Amino acid sequence: MIKLYGVIGNPIAQSMSPVMQNQEFQQFGLDAHYQPFHILEKELETAVKGMKVIGVEGFNVTSPHKTAIMPFLDKIDPLAEAIGAVNTVVRKNDEFHGYNTDGDGFIRALQADWKEDFMNERALIIGAGGAAKAIFYTLLSKGMAHIDICNRTAFKAKKLIEECPYEGKSKAISIAEAEDTLEHYNLIIQTTSIGMYPDIYKSPMSVKNLLPEAFVSDIIYNPFETALIKDAKQKGVKTQNGLGMFVYQGALAFEKWTGIAPDITRMTNIVVEQLGGNHANR
Ligand code: NAP
């Protein structure tokens, strides 16, 4: 019998996950289908119960349900619990178990585009929203210590650090301070929505003080090249966009569901094709 997977969100029509995951099911000859489900906030609990009853094997969770879904799952992985958000659900013995693969997806992409071991580098995260939290907590949980955070709303950066259950040596700084001291960091992780389509000319900060040997990761992938990435490239600095993080978080979900490591290049290519682009990080 065909195995059913999917993604829930509101909105959901824009999601690249169905085309990416269905391609891999097909390529590996699996009798499975991945379906987007448009679920309203008020219907979330009913939707999760329904998915369990009809035998859904696993699904992704996207905005705005990543936190709200947690009480409706049977078990939550400790990292997802700490982050306070679930993006992947796996059926195990008729229970729904929740995970968060966003941070690990980010790490895999950084390893692929930059270097395998960056745990001793000094990082700056720009932004303190949901994506920043997943990346920050996952990096600290893996032993990275030197990660500062700057955000427009200063108290949110401070809160992220204070509430983090993993040990680190982080401080919250203002965007202006980050700009002035950018040479202290060799990894810049841009997690705000500044520069995302349609506001493609906006950048969260000046790269005047960016080190030439630094690496800039902007987790936006629409456009592929944000204003920040363009500015960094002009200084000869190596960069990556958010496509790798998106593909790897999906690949990690696929692996949890099937036990198979999917083809990253093939997944990247189909997303690039869907987005109408002609280049990616690799
Ligand atoms: P979120 O929780 O809403 O956080 C948004 C962040 O952006 C906050 O730090 C917010 O600052 C900042 N921000 C928004 N508008 C701003 C402005 N005009 N000026 C200054 N700061 C501003 O969103 P999220 O879920 O973390 O997502 C953030 C971005 O990451 C989006 O572009 C999303 O597409 C991308 N993303 C990519 C992936 C991937 O797989 N590549 C995964 C998840 C998210 P304040 O706290 O001051 O409001």
Side-chain angles (χ1 to χ4, degrees):
M1 198 169 67
I2 190 163
K3 289 188 172 174
L4 187 59
Y5 297 86
V7 55
I8 61 168
N10 177 21
I12 200 61
Q14 81 297 346
S15 175
M16 295 290 139
S17 296
V19 74
M20 184 172 82
Q21 301 287 4
N22 279 324
Q23 170 183 255
E24 292 311 294
F25 285 139
Q26 265 175 22
Q27 291 287 339
F28 285 102
L30 301 173
D31 191 13
H33 177 73
Y34 185 102
Q35 179 70 29
F37 295 104
H38 183 195
I39 306 294
L40 301 179
E41 283 90 323
K42 64 178 173 88
E43 308 285 13
L44 182 60
E45 183 173 8
T46 313
V48 175
K49 279 185 181 153
M51 308 240 284
K52 190 179 267 176
V53 173
I54 63 172
V56 170
E57 289 291 332
F59 56 99
N60 287 124
V61 185
T62 188
S63 183
H65 303 314
K66 286 185 175 185
T67 299
I69 195 169
M70 294 175 74
F72 310 133
L73 301 176
D74 301 295
K75 256 192 204 146
I76 312 274
D77 169 73
L79 178 61
E81 187 79 58
I83 295 168
V86 160
N87 79 331
T88 302
V89 175
V90 182
R91 179 187 285 268
K92 285 186 183 171
N93 302 323
D94 284 334
E95 285 186 345
F96 275 164
H97 293 196
Y99 299 87
N100 192 310
T101 66
D102 281 332
D104 281 322
F106 173 80
I107 290 176
R108 294 269 188 109
L110 200 54
Q111 286 172 324
D113 291 336
W114 189 29
K115 56 182 168 185
E116 185 62 30
D117 184 8
F118 53 84
M119 286 292 147
N120 292 321
E121 306 293 350
R122 296 188 62 91
L124 171 73
I125 295 181
I126 311 171
K133 192 174 185 186
I135 292 171
F136 179 60
Y137 281 25
T138 307
L139 287 173
L140 285 193
S141 77
K142 303 273 192 273
M144 196 167 175
H146 295 280
I147 311 171
D148 293 341
I149 305 179
C150 64
N151 190 45
R152 172 180 63 177
T153 313
F155 83 88
K156 286 195 195 163
K158 202 162 171 270
K159 191 163 175 267
L160 217 68
I161 293 169
E162 283 171 0
E163 290 179 357
C164 182
Y166 305 106
E167 218 175 296
K169 293 174 184 154
S170 303
K171 61 181 193 295
I173 58 175
S174 67
I175 303 267
E177 196 183 343
E179 265 176 349
D180 288 347
T181 59
L182 214 53
E183 73 273 15
H184 290 175
Y185 305 99
N186 31 28
L187 172 60
I188 312 296
I189 306 166
Q190 196 308 107
T191 72
T192 76
S193 37
I194 306 173
M196 198 166 76
Y197 182 83
D199 285 327
I200 59 168
Y201 299 108
K202 286 195 185 149
S203 173
M205 69 170 59
S206 148
V207 295
K208 189 163 58 88
N209 295 321
L210 184 62
L211 290 175
E213 64 272 25
F215 187 89
V216 175
S217 174
D218 191 328
I219 69 163
I220 290 173
Y221 55 87
N222 186 14
F224 287 137
E225 246 186 40
T226 58
L228 179 76
I229 292 223
K230 281 196 177 116
D231 293 347
K233 275 188 172 173
Q234 264 180 9
K235 294 196 78 173
V237 170
K238 284 190 186 151
T239 65
Q240 72 172 173
N241 62 27
L243 194 60
M245 174 178 170
F246 173 71
V247 169
Y248 275 102
Q249 63 76 32
L252 290 166
F254 188 91
E255 245 178 279
K256 285 189 187 301
W257 295 326
T258 64
I260 298 169
D263 186 320
I264 300 297
T265 306
R266 197 165 57 203
M267 290 172 92
T268 305
N269 289 345
I270 200 161
V271 178
V272 170
E273 195 182 298
Q274 289 292 309
L275 290 169
N278 53 16
H279 73 280
N281 292 318
R282 55 188 82 81

